[in-house]
């Protein structure tokens, strides 16, 4: 009887996190879909006003306004980018107001990894921080380093100044 009582206490907690997990899945899937459909308002509406987007290039670290400025020409042409999740893991803070995730994405750049943080603002989840990374097979790391070294060596020097 005692175990049943504790089990009944856990049911609302489990359903709460499952509901939030489903909501976050929907936010992220709709966000990626909005880019594929070049829907500027829906895409940027999913981001918190204080959001940060970090792209695959070392120089791509944008707040929301800067990211909007960068992305607007792509959306205006009717073709932004098309990412679909292949795999996603979602985690929650103890208070249930913050979630973080990682995902593998099918993209025009082949498999990429996205990771980020969402916050509950009022009753909806907003993307607060997102990082997009290209994946590199370990066996190809040396070849990729040779390709990017001339560009990034110059950037390293500049950033150290």
């Amino acid at each position: 009887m005692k175990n049943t009582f504790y089990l009944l206490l856990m049911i609302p907690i489990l359903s709460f996190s499952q509901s939030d997990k489903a909501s976050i899945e929907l936010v992220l899937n709709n966000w990626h879909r909005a880019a594929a459909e070049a829907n500027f308002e829906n895409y940027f509406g999913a981001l918190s006003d204080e959001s940060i987007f970090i792209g695959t290039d070392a120089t791509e670290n944008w707040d929301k306004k800067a990211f909007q400025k960068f992305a607007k020409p792509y959306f205006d042409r009717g073709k932004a980018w098309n990412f679909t999740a292949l795999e996603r893991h979602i985690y929650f803070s103890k208070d249930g107001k913050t979630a973080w995730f990682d995902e593998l994405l099918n993209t025009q750049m082949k498999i990429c990894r996205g990771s980020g943080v969402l916050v509950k603002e009022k009753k909806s989840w907003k993307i607060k921080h997102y990082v997009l990374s290209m994946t590199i097979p370990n066996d190809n790391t040396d070849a990729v380093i040779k390709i990017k070294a001339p560009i990034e060596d110059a950037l390293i020097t500049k950033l150290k100044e």
Side-chain angles (χ1 to χ4, degrees):
M1 188 70 170
K2 187 177 181 183
N3 289 341
T4 304
F5 174 73
Y6 289 118
L7 183 59
L8 289 173
L9 285 176
M10 290 182 65
I11 289 171
I13 295 168
L14 293 174
S15 64
F16 171 76
S17 66
Q18 287 301 320
S19 172
D20 278 334
K21 184 176 180 183
S23 295
I24 289 170
E25 289 277 358
L26 189 61
V27 167
L28 293 171
N29 289 338
N30 287 343
W31 185 57
H32 290 311
R33 186 177 306 108
E37 296 171 354
N39 187 325
F40 188 86
E41 288 75 26
N42 286 354
Y43 186 81
F44 286 98
L47 299 176
S48 169
D49 288 340
E50 307 84 25
S51 63
I52 299 295
F53 184 99
I54 299 174
T56 57
D57 188 288
T59 64
E60 296 175 339
N61 187 328
W62 297 298
D63 63 21
K64 184 175 181 176
K65 287 183 181 181
F67 187 39
Q68 286 174 310
K69 184 178 178 183
F70 165 81
K72 184 107 172 72
Y74 294 97
F75 282 81
D76 287 347
R77 284 194 296 252
K79 185 175 182 179
W81 41 88
N82 189 2
F83 300 168
T84 54
L86 299 167
E87 177 182 283
R88 183 178 290 141
H89 305 102
I90 300 171
Y91 311 92
F92 293 93
S93 63
K94 288 182 182 179
D95 66 4
K97 295 179 183 177
T98 304
W100 57 98
F101 67 95
D102 61 84
E103 58 187 1
L104 287 179
L105 302 165
N106 184 10
T107 80
Q108 65 272 15
M109 298 176 281
K110 298 301 167 202
I111 295 177
C112 285
R113 182 176 308 282
S115 61
V117 175
L118 293 96
V119 292
K120 202 162 208 178
E121 294 183 359
K122 297 180 183 169
K123 293 185 179 187
S124 63
W125 288 97
K126 294 286 187 174
I127 301 165
K128 188 85 164 183
H129 193 267
Y130 190 80
V131 179
L132 178 66
S133 306
M134 293 179 69
T135 60
I136 301 169
N138 289 334
D139 290 344
N140 299 104
T141 300
D142 289 340
V144 172
I145 291 169
K146 285 179 188 174
I147 293 167
K148 66 185 224 151
I151 297 163
E152 291 188 358
D153 284 346
L155 183 58
I156 289 168
T157 300
K158 182 179 174 182
L159 292 170
K160 283 183 174 180
E161 294 174 354

